[in-house]
């Protein structure tokens, strides 16, 4: 069976059991402080388990893109070395939200594996939770009972908390689970060792394929367990492992999921897969990592220096280095795999297909930049190795590799391991902390558990219609930061918009007759609307008037609606490849990031502005439709943003169905006229293939234009109000250039005339050609030039000039170096003595020194001092 068919069969099977088939959520998680990437199928349903939200259906099934490279579930170190852990993989899952429980979950899993997939019943094992006294949990006899009616008892094994109690993260929904393992060894091997012995022993051919989790608890921040409001089923089956079992392979990489990639990499490297373990590992790593990289970028996460962006960069650099070292790839190669992957997954995950050029470009740029330092970094690694005494690379050196050569720590550790070494990782982290402390201290914060005031199923958002509502607090908690703390408050209903889709959260107040609590921000946590307050109201049970800051909201709406108009205009002017890559909308400005490979020219900017402003003047009324089935929204021409999680029903915002149709949860102007005016104020690049424009609207845009006009008016006035200011400035500049030239010429002439004069006046004393003179010169440069010219052109010369530079006195003494020794003359000493006469000071070297001062009238006296000093050295009186 082809893998495509296996996936289809799974979804068909659960559809036939009344499950609704839903799309995968994006790999990049938004609005969840506990999770960066989707690591299991259940993530997107977390709110259903927690009871924060009512599911659209009680039974759901899907295939979910997962990434396990950080946090609680991190398989990165296994990937490529073993044959069944990936960074990115698909998790097939079926869910019951408060509907069926253990019995059906177990029976259907068995039916699917044996009857639909035809896997051998006698090669499969089930595990059940044995209980855990520290959590006060008993063994899962219920699950054991259901298994007993299906398989012989000897194939049912007990599992401990580590294997049979599933948790998404440090907190959140969790519960006992029952896993299905399969033994893929040959009959011969099975004869020798009973498969039972190998379950959960990391044997590559006795692997877990499916985990049936029975969600019953919510793990609290303090480590305790609380019962969930209802009981749920959450199952997850590794699609690639299932394919291995069904296709009778011994490695996930031998299935048709990976073979096309593997063959392409092998061909490109000029090697055959399956001949040399080191080369095979490198090929597997690359085939694995390119999937993680491509799908994550397609879901909107660009490689970067922090957080999720850095995770992607790390994976990419790992892949590049495997190719470089083991497959001799010295040029970008990952980028060429993107197309193959896009073709392969066109039907299941169309987001990659739709953005293949963009993803390939981002990957290429990253590869090019890392390849630039990789070679030097590897040489540095060799150097470090040669200098070492023991077996542990110290943290500073590892940090140098990170900081100077872009080696992520895990890459350095990996290369160290290949060389039989290790890295002092805690010392590395210390270096990292030091650097962070140097840039800025990371804000540490700890979040307490929710304290329930009123039980409520949902927290309803009323802010599309109203800016004020009567609300009650349902729960709150405290967030502690370094020196201060603040509170997060949830209301039963609220007009406050929570930050999302780029639009900032509302601010405002919670009011009763005798108190007012300021809300300084509103954010989402999963689907919960969380209000941020510096303090809690005294009476938590009170009924509040929740009031949004209306002015700020209105300005923000101007910018949000303008962003939609801008998006459409950019597509019109630049082309359909323009995809939103990020946006920020607040009451001051709008920022829009989008895929485009070239700088947007001034002309294009002007066109875009013109289109948007025309649409503003058309005063197009807002078209808002809620609860539109997603398919219908797409028919309306709505641009789905990749990387966004959409439910089955979406909200569609339209400004002229022919012009702008977008899926959007934000708040908008009633009609475009309110925006007044849009002005783009900057255009720049944020990353490979991503441009950013910033724009302002309404009063701000008007003030900006007015500011420019004022500036123009002032300039005109300075120019004495010419008819054509442009021409006036051009001719002014022209005139200036001409004058500059003339001035330089004159200075030269004056200089050479003066030089001749000075030479004529030179006196010969004891073999020294002495020039002492008071002169008038335009500036210090001319004085210096004149001094050096005289020194260079005349032998044994000593020049003392007392210059009047536009009524500023300046002294210069210069002499042939030989005179310093021969006569003990010192220019520095001389100017210092002379400078007193002009109320100034200066200095320099023995052969050349200058001094400035305040008193022009003292120049003659200064010159006299100079002459006297020279006379002393040359034993003669100088006139
Ligand atoms: P394992 O012990 O093999 O790492 P797990 O206990 O971490 O698996 P679960 O968290 O229960 O796995 O995930 C459900 C299913 O997803 C597993 O039964 C397995 O088939 C699959 N799976 C888990 N991690 C990976 C991975 N890194 N790559 C591919 N498939 C995986
Ligand atoms: Mg695991």
């Amino acid at each position: 069976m082809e893998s495509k068919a296996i996936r289809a069969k799974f979804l068909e099977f659960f559809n036939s059991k009344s499950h609704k088939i839903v799309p995968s959520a994006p790999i990049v998680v938004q609005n969840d402080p506990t999770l960066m990437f989707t690591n299991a199928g259940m993530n997107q349903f977390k709110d259903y388990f927690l009871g924060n939200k009512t599911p659209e259906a009680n039974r759901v099934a899907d295939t979910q893109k997962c990434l396990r490279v950080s946090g609680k579930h991190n398989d990165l170190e296994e990937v490529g070395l073993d044959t069944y852990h990936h960074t990115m993989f698909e998790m097939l899952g079926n869910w019951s939200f408060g509907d069926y429980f253990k019995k059906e979950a177990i029976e259907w899993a068995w039916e699917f594996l044996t009857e639909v997939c035809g896997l051998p019943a006698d090669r499969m094992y089930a595990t059940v939770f044995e209980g855990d006294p520290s959590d006060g949990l008993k063994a899962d006899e219920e699950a054991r009972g259901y298994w007993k009616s299906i398989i012989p008892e000897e194939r049912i094994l007990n599992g401990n908390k580590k294997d049979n109690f599933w948790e998404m993260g440090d907190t959140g929904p969790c519960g006992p689970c029952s896993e299905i393992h399969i033994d893929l060894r040959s009959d011969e091997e099975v004869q020798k060792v009973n498969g039972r012995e190998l379950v959960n022993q990391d044997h590559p051919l006795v692997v877990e394929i499916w985990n049936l989790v029975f969600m019953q608890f919510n793990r609290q921040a303090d480590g305790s367990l609380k019962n969930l409001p209802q009981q749920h089923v959450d199952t997850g089956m590794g699609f690639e492992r299932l394919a291995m079992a069904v296709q009778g392979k011994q490695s996930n990489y031998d299935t048709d999921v990976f073979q096309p990639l593997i063959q392409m990499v092998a061909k490109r490297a000029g090697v055959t897969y399956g001949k040399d373990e080191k080369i095979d590992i490198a090929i597997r790593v690359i085939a694995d990592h390119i999937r993680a990289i491509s799908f994550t970028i397609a879901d909107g996460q660009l490689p970067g220096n922090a957080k999720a962006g850095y995770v992607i960069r790390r994976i990419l650099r790992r892949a590049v280095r495997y190719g470089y070292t083991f497959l001799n790839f010295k040029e970008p190669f990952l980028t060429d795999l993107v197309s193959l992957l896009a073709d392969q997954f066109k039907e299941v995950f169309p987001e990659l297909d739709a953005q293949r050029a963009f993803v390939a470009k981002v990957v290429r740029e990253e590869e090019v930049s890392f390849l630039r330092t990789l070679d030097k970094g590897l040489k540095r690694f060799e150097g470090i190795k040669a200098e070492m005494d023991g077996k542990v690379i110290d943290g500073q050196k590892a940090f140098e590799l990170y900081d100077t050569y872009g080696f992520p720590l895990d890459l350095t550790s990996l290369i160290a391991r290949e060389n039989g070494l290790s890295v002092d990782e805690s010392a590395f982290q210390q270096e990292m902390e030091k650097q962070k402390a140097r840039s800025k201290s990371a804000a540490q914060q700890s979040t307490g558990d929710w304290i329930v005031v009123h039980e409520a199923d949902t927290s309803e958002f009323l802010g599309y219609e109203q800016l004020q509502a009567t609300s009650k607090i349902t729960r709150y908690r405290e967030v502690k930061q370094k020196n201060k703390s603040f509170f997060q408050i949830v209301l039963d209903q609220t007009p406050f918009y929570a930050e999302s889709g780029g639009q900032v959260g509302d601010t405002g107040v919670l009011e009763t007759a005798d108190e007012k609590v300021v809300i300084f921000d509103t954010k989402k946590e999963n689907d919960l609307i969380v209000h941020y307050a510096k303090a809690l109201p005294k009476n938590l049970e009170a009924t509040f008037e929740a009031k949004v800051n209306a002015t700020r909201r209105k300005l923000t709406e101007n910018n949000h609606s303008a962003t939609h108009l801008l998006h459409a205009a950019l597509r019109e002017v630049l082309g359909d490849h323009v995809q939103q890559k990020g946006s920020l909308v607040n009451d001051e400005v709008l920022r829009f990031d989008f895929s485009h490979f070239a700088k947007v020219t001034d002309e294009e900017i002007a066109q875009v502005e013109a289109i948007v402003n025309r649409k503003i003047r058309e005063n197009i009324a807002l078209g808002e439709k809620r609860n539109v089935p997603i398919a219908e929204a797409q028919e309306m021409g709505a641009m789905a943003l990749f990387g966004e999680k959409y439910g089955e029903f979406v909200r569609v915002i339209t400004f002229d169905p022919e012009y702008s149709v977008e899926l959007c949860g934000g708040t908008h102007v009633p009609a475009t006229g309110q925006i007044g005016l849009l002005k783009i104020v900057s255009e720049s690049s944020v990353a490979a293939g991503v441009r950013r424009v910033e724009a302002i609207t309404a009063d701000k845009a008007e003030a900006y234009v007015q500011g420019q006009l004022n500036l123009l008016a002032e300039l005109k006035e300075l120019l004495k109000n010419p008819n054509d200011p442009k021409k006036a400035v051009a001719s002014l500049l022209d005139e200036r250039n001409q004058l500059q030239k003339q001035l330089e010429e004159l200075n030269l002439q004056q200089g050479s005339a003066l030089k001749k004069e000075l030479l004529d006046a030179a006196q010969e004393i004891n073999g020294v050609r002495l020039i002492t003179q008071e002169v008038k010169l335009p500036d210090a440069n001319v004085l210096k030039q004149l001094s050096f010219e005289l020194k260079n052109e005349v032998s044994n010369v000593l020049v003392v000039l007392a210059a009047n530079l536009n009524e500023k006195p300046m002294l210069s003494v210069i002499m042939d170096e030989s005179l310093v020794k021969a006569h003990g003359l010192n220019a520095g000493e001389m100017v210092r003595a002379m400078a007193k006469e002009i109320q100034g000071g200066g200095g320099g070297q023995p052969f050349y020194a200058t001094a400035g001062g305040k008193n022009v009238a003292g120049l003659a006296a200064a010159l006299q001092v100079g002459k006297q000093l020279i006379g002393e050295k040359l034993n003669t009186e100088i006139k």
Side-chain angles (χ1 to χ4, degrees):
M1 222 194 296
E2 273 189 41
S3 59
K4 272 186 196 166
I6 299 174
R7 189 191 289 113
K9 292 253 181 212
F10 177 86
L11 299 174
E12 266 165 39
F13 177 80
F14 281 100
N15 193 224
S16 77
K17 309 276 185 213
S18 312
H19 286 62
K20 190 177 168 60
I21 308 306
V22 303
S24 173
I27 238 173
V28 187
V29 175
Q30 283 161 3
N31 301 327
D32 189 339
T34 65
L35 208 58
M36 262 197 286
F37 300 104
T38 298
N39 64 13
M42 57 75 66
N43 296 162
Q44 68 163 319
F45 306 119
K46 202 170 136 182
D47 272 340
Y48 301 161
F49 295 128
L50 290 171
N52 291 339
K53 206 178 161 189
T54 325
E56 286 160 5
N58 287 341
R59 298 179 181 190
V60 162
D62 70 359
T63 179
Q64 172 66 49
K65 291 174 283 185
C66 293
L67 191 65
R68 292 196 168 180
V69 290
S70 55
K72 190 167 181 77
H73 294 279
N74 187 346
D75 294 332
L76 188 59
E77 301 305 332
E78 265 73 55
V79 170
L81 304 181
D82 80 10
T83 48
Y84 59 105
H85 279 99
H86 305 297
T87 53
M88 181 266 166
F89 64 98
E90 281 177 66
M91 199 185 277
L92 302 169
N94 57 290
W95 283 271
S96 147
F97 305 119
D99 189 37
Y100 63 86
F101 204 42
K102 298 184 187 179
K103 181 174 192 290
E104 292 84 346
I106 289 171
E107 285 174 2
W108 288 339
W110 191 254
E111 184 185 338
F112 176 72
L113 291 178
T114 54
E115 284 170 33
V116 180
C117 296
L119 293 176
D122 59 350
R123 290 295 190 91
M124 286 191 280
Y125 296 84
T127 64
V128 293
F129 182 49
E130 66 186 12
D132 187 273
S134 69
D135 272 330
L137 295 170
K138 295 215 185 76
D140 191 351
E141 289 304 334
E142 196 190 345
R144 175 174 282 275
Y146 295 127
W147 278 119
K148 270 206 295 209
S149 67
I150 302 177
I151 53 175
E153 259 205 281
E154 78 227 25
R155 293 217 312 278
I156 307 170
L157 287 80
N158 270 337
N160 59 17
K161 183 167 152 185
K162 180 181 140 275
D163 287 321
N164 283 76
F165 193 85
W166 200 90
E167 310 205 32
M168 184 198 71
D170 293 332
T171 59
C174 54
C177 61
S178 187
E179 301 167 339
I180 301 168
H181 296 249
I182 189 161
D183 185 350
L184 298 168
R185 294 173 304 154
S186 65
D187 291 337
E188 231 185 346
E189 290 294 318
V190 171
Q191 288 300 322
K192 277 192 237 158
V193 183
N194 189 336
R196 201 185 144 88
E197 311 294 319
L198 299 174
V199 168
N200 269 331
Q201 299 301 317
D202 296 331
H203 192 290
L205 295 177
V206 184
V207 295
E208 175 191 328
I209 47 174
W210 204 342
N211 193 356
L212 317 176
V213 183
F214 311 119
M215 290 288 183
Q216 286 172 276
F217 306 107
N218 185 11
R219 176 80 69 186
Q220 306 290 294
D222 67 3
S224 64
L225 293 173
K226 247 188 158 173
N227 278 327
L228 287 173
Q230 281 185 301
Q231 295 181 327
H232 317 276
V233 170
D234 151 29
T235 86
M237 172 155 59
F239 168 64
E240 300 78 8
R241 291 188 195 177
L242 176 65
M244 159 169 75
V246 174
Q247 295 178 357
K249 306 289 186 194
Q250 307 235 310
S251 157
N252 287 4
Y253 295 95
D254 292 342
T255 65
D256 64 342
V257 181
F258 283 96
Q259 273 300 308
L261 286 170
I262 298 233
Q263 293 312 329
M264 186 169 171
V265 176
K267 189 168 167 211
R268 174 90 182 252
V271 297
T272 311
Y273 179 72
K275 290 259 153 66
D276 173 317
E277 183 63 4
K278 273 204 168 144
I279 287 179
D280 290 354
I281 290 174
I283 296 177
R284 288 201 290 266
V285 166
I286 291 167
D288 173 274
H289 286 13
I290 188 62
R291 290 165 34 106
I293 298 161
S294 303
F295 284 113
T296 314
I297 296 174
D299 272 351
Q301 181 59 59
L302 292 171
N305 266 336
K307 297 190 185 151
Y310 190 59
V311 175
I312 299 316
R313 178 164 284 170
R314 277 198 295 136
I315 299 175
L316 188 139
R317 292 190 170 180
R318 238 174 120 98
V320 170
R321 182 271 170 179
Y322 265 106
Y324 185 93
T325 302
F326 299 104
L327 303 174
N328 210 21
F329 289 150
K330 308 291 176 203
E331 301 289 327
F333 60 94
L334 290 171
T335 180
D336 298 337
L337 301 173
V338 175
S339 255
L340 176 63
L341 202 57
D343 286 338
Q344 201 184 344
F345 286 91
K346 220 189 222 151
E347 284 125 46
V348 233
F349 306 125
E351 55 276 16
L352 184 55
D353 177 43
Q355 304 177 87
R356 56 170 83 202
F358 171 72
V359 175
K361 164 119 181 163
V362 172
V363 171
R364 170 180 290 275
E365 297 279 324
E366 278 285 308
E367 284 189 89
V368 168
S369 107
F370 186 50
L371 282 166
R372 238 180 260 143
T373 57
L374 177 58
D375 188 47
K376 284 191 210 114
L378 290 171
K379 289 211 177 91
R380 179 68 193 118
F381 183 89
E382 289 305 318
I384 292 170
K385 196 173 125 189
E387 293 159 17
M388 276 173 60
D389 301 332
K391 295 249 165 228
V392 184
I393 297 174
D394 71 38
Q396 253 173 10
K397 299 253 164 73
F399 187 75
E400 180 195 337
L401 285 170
Y402 161 80
D403 205 30
T404 315
Y405 305 101
F407 280 35
L409 176 62
D410 67 72
L411 179 57
T412 303
S413 301
L414 180 74
I415 302 172
R417 275 202 301 283
E418 286 168 5
N419 283 270
L421 306 170
S422 67
V423 178
D424 184 346
E425 299 198 355
S426 71
F428 173 90
Q429 294 303 350
Q430 276 170 21
E431 292 297 320
M432 196 76 174
E433 287 309 314
K434 275 192 222 160
Q435 196 193 46
K436 268 195 203 148
R438 279 193 293 271
S439 47
K440 72 167 189 280
S441 57
Q444 282 283 344
Q445 62 175 45
S446 69
T447 309
D449 283 325
W450 287 115
I451 295 166
V452 175
V453 182
H454 288 287
E455 287 292 349
D457 289 347
T458 48
S459 73
E460 204 185 338
F461 178 60
L462 306 174
Y464 292 136
E465 283 84 21
Q466 56 203 72
L467 296 178
Q468 184 168 345
T470 309
S471 312
K472 279 179 164 294
I473 295 180
T474 57
R475 57 169 107 171
Y476 71 91
R477 69 182 173 192
E478 186 173 10
V479 179
K480 290 202 171 96
Q481 283 174 325
K482 232 177 173 181
N483 306 318
K484 46 180 194 245
S485 67
F486 63 89
F487 295 87
Q488 297 181 328
I489 298 174
V490 181
L491 304 173
D492 58 346
Q493 52 175 18
T494 179
F496 283 75
Y497 181 81
E499 175 184 325
S500 63
Q503 181 177 337
V504 290
D506 278 332
T507 59
V509 290
L510 295 185
E511 236 175 44
T512 60
D514 27 55
E515 99 174 293
K516 211 182 214 178
V517 171
V518 175
I519 301 300
F520 64 90
D521 202 355
T522 312
K523 289 186 197 230
K524 262 192 187 176
E525 188 166 315
N526 303 299
D527 287 304
L528 218 54
I529 299 170
V530 183
H531 307 76
Y532 287 53
K534 291 253 157 64
L536 282 179
K538 279 185 216 84
N539 181 5
L540 291 158
E541 312 268 336
T543 303
F544 298 89
E545 277 308 302
K547 294 182 181 166
V548 170
N549 176 337
T551 315
R552 182 169 174 276
R553 162 75 89 83
K554 189 172 172 190
L555 293 172
T556 307
E557 287 175 350
N558 289 339
N559 284 336
H560 198 156
S561 300
T563 305
H564 285 207
L565 301 183
L566 178 73
H567 187 182
L570 282 166
R571 286 172 71 96
E572 203 170 306
V573 173
L574 302 177
D576 281 348
H577 62 278
V578 167
Q579 290 273 357
Q580 175 167 346
K581 286 290 155 207
S583 87
L584 170 77
V585 175
N586 61 30
D587 52 334
E588 306 242 308
V589 47
L590 69 93
R591 198 170 78 194
F592 189 70
D593 297 347
F594 56 98
S595 48
H596 182 57
F597 294 160
K599 186 173 168 53
V600 189
T601 63
D602 290 347
E603 224 166 86
E604 287 163 338
I605 293 272
Q607 281 176 40
V608 169
E609 271 184 354
I611 295 172
V612 174
N613 284 319
R614 198 171 63 231
K615 293 293 168 187
I616 291 174
R617 286 191 303 275
E618 282 172 22
N619 197 24
I620 307 163
L622 166 68
E624 188 216 19
K625 271 196 171 171
R626 290 183 216 164
N627 298 321
V628 183
I630 185 120
E632 193 182 308
Q634 266 148 3
E635 263 162 44
M636 290 167 71
M639 289 179 273
L641 300 181
F642 300 118
E644 291 290 330
K645 174 172 133 192
Y646 293 113
E648 189 190 355
F649 296 98
V650 291
R651 181 166 175 262
V652 181
I653 294 296
T654 309
F655 290 107
D656 174 358
E658 296 297 306
Y659 180 68
S660 163
V661 183
E662 290 199 36
L663 304 184
C664 177
T667 65
H668 287 276
V669 298
T672 58
Q674 184 189 306
I675 302 167
L677 176 69
L678 172 121
K679 202 66 208 147
I680 294 175
V681 289
S682 80
E683 192 277 342
S684 60
S685 155
V686 264
V690 183
R691 308 297 304 181
R692 165 174 295 177
V693 292
E694 286 184 318
I696 48 182
T697 61
D699 305 21
K700 276 241 159 180
E702 190 188 321
Y704 176 84
V705 172
Q706 194 54 53
Q708 298 290 308
L709 289 175
N710 289 348
L711 185 67
L712 183 63
E714 284 164 29
L715 290 175
K716 272 185 180 166
E717 205 179 305
L718 280 174
L719 293 167
K720 308 263 180 303
N721 293 316
N723 288 330
D724 185 344
K726 220 167 102 183
K727 215 165 135 192
V729 172
S731 80
L732 213 64
L733 287 174
D734 207 41
E735 206 174 298
R736 186 189 164 280
N737 281 342
Q738 299 239 352
L739 288 173
Q740 179 80 27
K741 264 191 214 136
Q742 280 178 21
L743 186 67
E744 275 164 19
E745 248 165 58
L746 271 171
N747 284 347
L748 267 175
Q749 279 173 22
Q750 200 192 355
S752 63
L754 185 60
K755 199 160 83 188
K756 193 164 172 299
E757 213 177 282
L758 292 174
L759 280 172
D760 289 344
Q763 15 182 350
E764 176 92 38
I765 293 162
N766 290 349
V768 177
R769 302 258 289 169
L770 179 64
I771 299 169
T772 57
Q773 193 83 273
E774 223 186 306
V775 291
K776 258 190 184 271
L777 291 172
D779 60 38
N781 269 338
V782 180
L783 174 62
K784 182 173 180 183
Q785 195 177 336
L786 181 63
S787 302
F788 272 88
E789 276 178 19
L790 286 167
K791 172 184 172 279
N792 292 339
E793 286 166 26
V794 186
S795 53
N796 283 337
V797 79
L798 168 53
V799 187
V800 183
L801 298 177
N804 178 338
L805 312 177
N806 285 324
E807 298 313 307
K808 276 200 163 164
M810 184 151 183
L811 305 170
S812 162
V813 176
I814 195 162
M815 68 186 86
D816 199 288
E817 280 90 345
S818 64
L819 302 184
V820 176
K821 269 208 177 137
H823 300 285
L825 284 159
N826 186 314
E829 279 171 21
M830 283 175 65
V831 292
R832 273 194 291 275
M834 294 159 67
K836 287 183 189 138
E837 305 294 334
I838 57 166
Q839 290 176 16
Q845 293 150 275
F847 85 96
Y848 172 61
T850 57
K854 288 185 206 141
N855 178 19
V856 203
L859 281 172
L863 203 56
Q864 257 335 106
V865 173
K867 282 181 187 174
Q868 190 173 342
L869 288 172
I870 295 167
E872 281 165 20
K873 297 285 182 193
L874 299 184
N875 288 323
T876 168
E877 196 183 332
I878 292 166
K879 283 190 223 120

